[in-house]
Every structure is written in structure tokens, then in C-alpha cells.
Amino acid sequence: MAKSGYGALIVEERIAPEVDWDEVLLLDDWRLTNDATLHDSFGALHDWAHAGRMGNWITVNGDGAWRRASLRHERLRLRLVNAANARIFALELQHMQGWVVALDGQPLPAPKTAGSLVLSPGERADLIVDVVAGEGEEALLVTRDREDTHTLAAFPIQGTARKIRLPAPAPLPPNPVPPLGDLGTARHATLHMEGGAMGRMRQAMLGGRMVGVRDLAEQGKVWAFNGLAEMPEEPLLTANVGETVHLTMVNATAWPHAMHLHGHHFRAVASDGTAGPLRDTLLVDREETADVAFVADNPGDWLLHCHMPEHSVAGMKTWFRVA
Ligand SMILES: [Cu+2]
């Protein structure tokens, strides 16, 4: 089995036994015209240089008003997948309470109370939630956009599953991911992210020569990693198998980016050295610097890129080698 996929597969096989039913909710958005056909503005450079192609119609599993009847005190497992190009969902539960048990296919060491949850493009979260709405009410999954709240999924109550709530679920068994080595001696690289609208980038390398931003834009390039507006010929770094890698990602742009690593899961490392949960995507906010670390245990050439495809195709991609 390909290692890059095992996290997702193992979680699939380990649904907690007390779960009454489970559901995959694919969150997406679409840019539609007034007659409900897809807007033909694909490739618009304005989108590429801003937040990416943002839709005006939000769906769950292709449905703009997704619903499923449920029972009070029913326990559900919800696998949330952000399949949108560019939309960052700020999610909240209403009349449902529960725990995040896995992120990006990797179990958390301890289930974490599900409060608000930000899911950037490509990210996944596994939740175990109990319906606490009463008869005649609806449990809801909503997304917040500034002051607006939009319902993504509704769970109308039609009866009672059991008299009382179940106790908190046990953590899922961890996947076999090696522990991080010493960051002091880890192989380190810095990724300087620049470009985009309202950015400070004036020029970048493209096709072996330095090109000004105006000419870059004419060639569909508006972002750069370490001064290169295209996939570099040389890797960002080469790591030995088993070596710990430390990446510093400097977002010198006016936009958040969902930085996605292939072949491995990393941990965000805070300034005090504490490491977060295993992830394969990290939202790096505008003007933010983020440190991540992982053990390079998967031989091959692997992409590191922004998970918003309009940003990736317009310059935000690089690669590293594990040999
Ligand atoms: Cu991006």
C-alpha cells in the first residue's frame, strides 16, 4: 500500500464501535452564473493573484441544502473534506457536541473538543459528535464568513436514540510515524513565499532569467518561492532516509496559503519548541512565519506547494528529495 495514502485508509477502518452511523461530507464551492451554469472565468489572472477561484454557491456532497434525519443522543462520525479550490471554511457545530479525533488522516493522541475548526483547501478532519438537539430542532454544521453564518449540513431530529449521552470516545490507535529527531541538528531549509496582489515582489526568476512582475503576469506567473516563479530544477533540499527535516515557511504575501507536503505528514513547531499534531497541510497566514518538522522516511521526489491550485500553477510550488 502506498505510504502517502495509509493515514486516510487506516482511519477508515477504525470507526469507534459506539458510532451509530458515519458520513463523509465533501465541502465545496462553485462559481455559477445567474442561470446556474459554471462561470467560464477559469484561468482569470485576477483570481490567481488574489485568494484563488472562489465560488458563490456552497455545497455538501454536491447539494446546496444537505440534510439527514437523526436521533437525539445519536453518535455520528463526520469526515469533513475541504474540496474547494480556495475557500477556507471556518466551521462550527450547533446542537451537536463532540471531538476531533483525526486531522488529515492522522489520529490525534487525545480527542480534542470540537469547537470552531478552520479547514483550508485539501484538509480533512474526522469528528465524533453527539446530537444534543431536542425533538423539533435541528443539529447543524455551519460555516462563518465574517459576521454571516451559512448552514452547510442540517440534521433534523426525528426521535431519540438513547436516554443519555455516551462517554467521550477513546483515541484512535496511532499510525506508525517515526518520532521527530533533534531540531537543533535537523536538515533545515527556508521557503520564502512572495508575490500576489498587494505584495512586495518586483521580479522573479522564470526560464533561467530575471523577469519583472508585469512580464511575469503576462506569462501567468504571479507568485514565487525563494525567488523562482516556477518549479525549480534543483530540490529545495535533499534529505537522507530517516533524517529529521525542519522547514521555515515565511509568508511575505498579503494572502493566507494552505501549504501542502507530499509523501509525509509534518508537525507545526511553535516558538517554544512544542510540536503540534501530524498534518499534511498547514494554513500559513498572511505575513506569518511557520515552522514545521518531519522525519523524511519515504524515499522519492516530493512536492511542497500551496494547495490553492491557482496559486500553485502561478508559481507556488517546489520539491524536495529523500534518498
Ligand atoms: Cu496559496
Side-chain angles (χ1 to χ4, degrees):
M1 182 164 30
K3 179 171 180 257
S4 56
Y6 75 11
L9 291 171
I10 288 176
V11 169
E12 284 300 334
E13 292 160 5
R14 291 176 180 171
I15 300 167
E18 69 274 21
V19 166
D20 294 306
W21 50 271
D22 67 297
E23 199 79 55
V24 177
L25 301 181
L26 205 61
L27 317 181
D28 207 346
D29 68 351
W30 313 76
R31 186 179 295 178
L32 301 181
T33 62
N34 287 340
D35 61 2
T37 55
L38 275 179
H39 201 287
D40 65 359
S41 51
F42 291 101
L45 200 63
H46 183 275
D47 291 336
W48 293 19
H50 290 73
R53 183 181 172 88
M54 206 72 81
N56 52 11
W57 181 245
I58 297 176
T59 60
V60 168
N61 298 343
D63 189 340
W66 190 95
R67 298 171 72 76
R68 188 198 198 284
S70 67
L71 303 170
R72 179 166 165 80
H73 292 322
E74 232 178 353
R75 174 160 287 184
L76 354 165
R77 169 178 170 267
L78 302 178
R79 163 159 276 209
L80 308 178
V81 181
N82 184 353
N85 277 31
R87 183 175 295 276
I88 299 162
F89 286 98
L91 302 169
E92 279 177 27
L93 302 173
Q94 293 182 359
H95 299 301
M96 282 193 287
Q97 291 173 357
W99 301 265
V100 179
V101 293
L103 292 170
D104 296 344
Q106 296 288 354
L108 298 185
K112 182 173 166 283
T113 303
S116 53
L117 176 70
V118 173
L119 220 54
S120 60
E123 287 190 301
R124 293 86 70 208
D126 286 83
L127 274 56
I128 290 182
V129 297
D130 295 335
V131 176
V132 295
E135 188 70 48
E137 292 183 322
E138 286 184 334
L140 300 173
L141 173 70
V142 304
T143 180
R144 279 193 194 282
D145 186 4
R146 296 186 185 91
E147 295 309 304
D148 292 338
T149 302
H150 178 85
T151 295
L152 293 170
F155 304 82
I157 305 301
Q158 294 181 359
T160 300
R162 50 179 75 82
K163 286 205 175 80
I164 53 167
R165 286 187 66 188
L166 296 168
L172 297 166
N175 288 323
V177 177
L180 290 179
D182 182 6
L183 290 195
T185 56
R187 191 171 294 269
H188 181 257
T190 298
L191 191 69
H192 191 75
M193 306 153 64
E194 57 179 343
M198 295 173 281
R200 298 182 292 273
M201 186 171 82
R202 293 289 161 261
Q203 54 186 15
M205 291 292 288
L206 182 65
R209 63 189 187 90
M210 194 59 82
V211 180
V213 280
R214 214 171 277 266
D215 290 339
L216 283 174
E218 277 179 14
Q219 298 179 63
K221 301 295 179 192
V222 285
W223 307 92
F225 279 170
N226 289 352
L228 236 75
E230 61 188 332
M231 184 74 89
E233 281 184 20
E234 293 300 314
L236 176 68
L237 61 85
T238 299
N240 300 318
V241 174
E243 194 172 24
T244 295
V245 175
H246 173 194
L247 291 177
T248 302
M249 298 188 284
V250 182
N251 182 358
T253 82
W255 304 89
H257 299 285
M259 292 302 297
H260 175 64
L261 182 73
H262 283 228
H264 302 78
H265 282 72
F266 52 50
R267 296 178 188 273
V269 180
S271 52
D272 65 359
T274 52
L278 287 164
R279 313 284 327 245
D280 62 18
T281 305
L282 183 72
L283 189 65
V284 185
D285 214 344
R286 53 186 73 100
E287 303 294 346
E288 184 193 8
T289 294
D291 285 275
V292 297
F294 61 96
V295 177
D297 65 340
N298 198 2
D301 292 346
W302 299 105
L303 277 172
L304 170 66
H305 64 103
C306 177
H307 226 310
M308 293 137 170
E310 295 82 14
H311 293 175
S312 185
V313 76
M316 293 197 125
K317 52 182 178 276
T318 187
W319 64 285
F320 64 98
R321 176 165 287 164
V322 181

